[in-house]
């Protein structure tokens, strides 16, 4: 039922944000934003704090007016429509449950205002919805008498019951502890698959975005840096911000020498490194040559020579940290740069020790190339924290 | 020795609290007791004997019940108008950004900050200059009471409104409620406790007021003025009956309110 979203030209685009800009005084919160969210997609908007995620959602919900640009839903321009005229509902960052109404009345609020269903039907629907979020026995309580996780589910039920075209979720799991958060992630994903409504899920937790979404848009300082399926964003980052924000990356300075078949040949630290054209941007001259730490296999110098592997020699292990499922190595190269390598603790190989000489090897298809003009540290501090 | 100290350590705060409560309640206890007093002489304030006569002949003292009626009438009317106007003002001052908003915020405090005797005498001067000289009475008292109740209403309702999360109204709009529905379904129910508190405060301020009333009343006699006048000759015991009734009414409103809230907030099931 859920259509796989693919890139900017994904089919059946339902929500379109066209060149939307939002200024608060002189401050540009959202800058010329273009987005297409396919119908029925689980779309994650990922970005650091203050990058304009909430502002974007508020404009879609109609709670904020764009300074410029248009917002279309299924082809209709909704830019100037009042919030209560849009088939869009929001789960607010702070839930915003009505404190004077019972759980039941909170959930029934939207349907009552629309006045399209009979009393009996309303009761049935509210009952079903409370069952979906497993809150039947709390129907008569006030929001203040519920735990954070239960309130969050009421907020979800209150929005979902209206069967909106688009459901906006603004960091709905932010206030929950890690365990409940993981449980609610699965729950949300299940509900979305069940009801088939377009979900736009805002988060600054990259892991959450990758587990839940079909499509992720990484936002930075009011613009979308890159958008695509989680595997695509992770495997083929197109900017240093995405490479660092979404997981971790080794970025090494190199030069593109030639193109050969479906590969680029680059020179890195005096050796030739091959990069697949599929994963890399078509660049010339100076580049950042990137590889994810878990894709790197450490070898003893000269050992296990395989022609199809990229190989950087002359490294020395400078730090080893054991994290259970894997061991994380820091390898200092002759140039002074430290590179990361994560090795699975399968027990097959003898672990390396600090001071061991090693070669770093990886496959050409795990190499990506980025523009050398971009800041190599962009997004690093932000992404690592989560 | 140390046993006493331990006991004091554990119960000292409680003991102190009870003493303060006793201090606060003593005048009320005296009023209630006096309402059952059978005084030996008109000028005596001693408790000479128990009787129910005061309760069965409340309206016997000349003018007393009519003055209570006048006070209640003025109190209700002034409360009504002051609460309505004051609530509207509070909404305007919290929700709208207009020229002179901060000035209005300061001006609102002025009637609360000025001494009543000054307000009363200047009102008297105003009324006389405006040509009401021979007609001081019910309506001039009413106007004066609305004036000083207004500030208290604005301040009380404003505090309640300022504490109201604007996202609740946005959530209502998001859930298909028009501006009108949002107001009546969300904003108003959440602000109503503030409005009720403001109304109760207004009523007791108005019912109680002596200084301003005395200066603007002409021939009209309200309850506080009656008591003041009677005190020169000896206060009739029925005044204590009125005091007890007012106290019981206020108490039952407060208790009733909190019981109602308990009942409403307690989950019916689960
Ligand atoms: N009403 C406003 N007036 C002025 N500036 C605002 C307003 N609302 C948001 N901003 C600014 O716009 C920027 C983006 O805010 P927004 O709330 O969209 O961030 P966000 O991405 O949701 O962040 P977070 O992850 O912390 O929720 C912030 O720098 C914020 O200070
Ligand atoms: Mg936000």
């Amino acid at each position: 039922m859920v259509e796989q979203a693919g890139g900017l030209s994904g089919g059946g685009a339902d929500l379109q944000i066209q060149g939307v800009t939002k200024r608060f005084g002189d401050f540009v919160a959202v800058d010329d934003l273009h987005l297409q969210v396919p119908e029925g997609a689980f779309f994650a908007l990922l970005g650091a704090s203050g990058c304009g995620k909430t502002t974007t959602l508020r404009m879609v919900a109609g709670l904020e007016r764009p300074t410029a640009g248009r917002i279309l839903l299924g082809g209709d321009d909704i830019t100037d429509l009042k919030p209560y005229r849009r088939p869009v509902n929001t789960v607010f960052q702070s839930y915003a449950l009505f404190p004077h109404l019972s759980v039941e009345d909170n959930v029934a609020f939207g349907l009552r205002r629309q006045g399209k269903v009979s009393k009996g039907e309303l009761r049935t629907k509210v009952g079903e919805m409370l069952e979906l979020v497993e809150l039947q026995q709390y129907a008569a309580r006030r929001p203040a008498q519920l735990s954070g996780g239960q309130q969050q589910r009421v907020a979800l039920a209150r929005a979902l019951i209206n069967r909106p075209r688009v459901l906006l979720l603004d960091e709905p799991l932010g206030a929950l502890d890690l365990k409940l958060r993981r449980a609610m992630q699965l729950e949300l994903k299940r509900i979305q698959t069940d009801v088939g409504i377009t979900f736009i899920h805002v988060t600054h937790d990259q892991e959450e975005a990758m587990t839940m979404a079909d499509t992720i848009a990484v936002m930075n300082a009011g613009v979308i840096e890159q958008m695509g399926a989680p595997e695509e964003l992770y495997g083929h980052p197109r900017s240093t911000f995405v490479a660092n924000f979404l997981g971790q990356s080794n970025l090494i300075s190199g030069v593109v020498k030639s193109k050969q078949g479906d590969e680029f040949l680059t020179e890195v630290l005096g050796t030739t490194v091959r990069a697949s054209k599929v994963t890399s941007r078509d660049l010339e001259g100076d580049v950042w040559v990137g590889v994810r730490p878990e894709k790197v296999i450490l070898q003893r110098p000269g050992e296990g020579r395989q022609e199809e592997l990229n190989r950087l020699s002359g490294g020395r292990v400078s730090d080893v940290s054991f994290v259970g499922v894997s061991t994380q190595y820091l390898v200092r190269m002759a140039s002074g740069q430290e590179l990361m390598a994560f090795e699975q603790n399968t027990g097959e190989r003898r672990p390396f020790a600090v001071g061991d000489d090693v070669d770093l090897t990886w496959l050409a298809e795990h190499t990506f190339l980025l523009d050398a003009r971009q800041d190599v540290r962009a997004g690093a501090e932000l992404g690592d924290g989560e | 020795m140390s046993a006493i100290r331990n006991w004091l350590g554990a119960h000292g705060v409680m003991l102190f609290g009870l003493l303060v409560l006793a201090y606060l309640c003593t005048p009320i206890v005296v009023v209630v007791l006096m309402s059952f007093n059978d005084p030996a002489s008109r000028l005596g304030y001693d408790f000479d004997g128990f009787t129910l006569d005061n309760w069965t002949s409340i309206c016997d003292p000349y003018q007393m019940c009519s003055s209570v009626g006048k006070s209640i009438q003025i109190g209700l009317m002034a409360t009504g108008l002051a609460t309505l106007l004051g609530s509207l003002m509070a909404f305007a001052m919290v929700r709208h950004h207009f020229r002179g908003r901060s000035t209005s915020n300061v001006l609102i405090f002025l009637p609360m900050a000025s001494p009543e005797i000054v307000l009363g005498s200047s009102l008297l001067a105003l009324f006389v200059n405006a040509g009401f000289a021979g007609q001081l009475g019910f309506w001039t008292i009413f106007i004066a009471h609305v004036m000083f109740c207004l500030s208290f209403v604005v301040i009380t309702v404003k505090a309640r409104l300022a504490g109201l999360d604007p996202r609740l109204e946005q959530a209502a709009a998001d859930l298909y409620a028009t501006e009108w529905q949002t107001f009546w379904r969300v904003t108003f129910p959440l602000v109503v406790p503030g409005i009720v508190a403001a109304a109760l405060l207004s009523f007791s301020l108005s019912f109680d007021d002596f200084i301003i009333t005395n200066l603007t009343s002409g021939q009209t006699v309200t309850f506080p003025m009656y008591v003041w006048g009677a005190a020169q000759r000896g206060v009739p015991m029925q005044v204590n009956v009125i005091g007890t009734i007012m106290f019981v009414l206020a108490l039952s409103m407060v208790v009733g309110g909190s019981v109602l809230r308990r009942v409403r907030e307690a989950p019916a099931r689960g």
Side-chain angles (χ1 to χ4, degrees), chain A residues 24 27-30 47-56 64 93 170-171 202 204:
Chain A
F24 294 108
F27 180 79
V28 183
V30 173
S49 190
C51 70
K53 305 181 297 288
T54 298
T55 309
T56 306
E64 211 85 67
Q93 200 161 0
D170 193 355
E171 298 193 40
V202 158
H204 57 253

Side-chain angles (χ1 to χ4, degrees), chain B residues 33-55 57 61 233-241:
Chain B
L33 273 180
M34 289 307 252
S35 75
F36 297 105
N37 189 16
D38 189 7
S41 85
R42 264 184 66 87
L43 286 169
Y45 290 99
D46 301 324
F47 196 85
D48 296 322
F50 180 85
T51 177
L52 288 176
D53 286 355
N54 302 325
W55 284 82
S57 62
R233 289 162 273 133
V235 176
M237 288 303 130
Q238 282 87 341
V239 165
N240 296 304
V241 176

Side-chain angles (χ1 to χ4, degrees), chain A residues 8 17 19-22 27-35 43-56 59 216-227 233 239 241-242 245 374:
Chain A
L8 268 167
I17 298 180
V20 163
T21 298
K22 178 69 192 178
F27 180 79
V28 183
V30 173
D31 193 8
D32 193 26
L33 187 77
H34 289 268
L35 259 189
F43 188 93
L45 201 54
L46 182 64
S49 190
C51 70
K53 305 181 297 288
T54 298
T55 309
T56 306
M59 288 190 288
I216 299 179
V218 177
M219 203 168 171
N220 181 26
V223 297
I224 300 281
E225 287 262 336
Q226 190 180 351
M227 190 168 119
L233 254 70
S239 70
F241 181 86
V242 176
F245 188 71
Q374 291 176 346

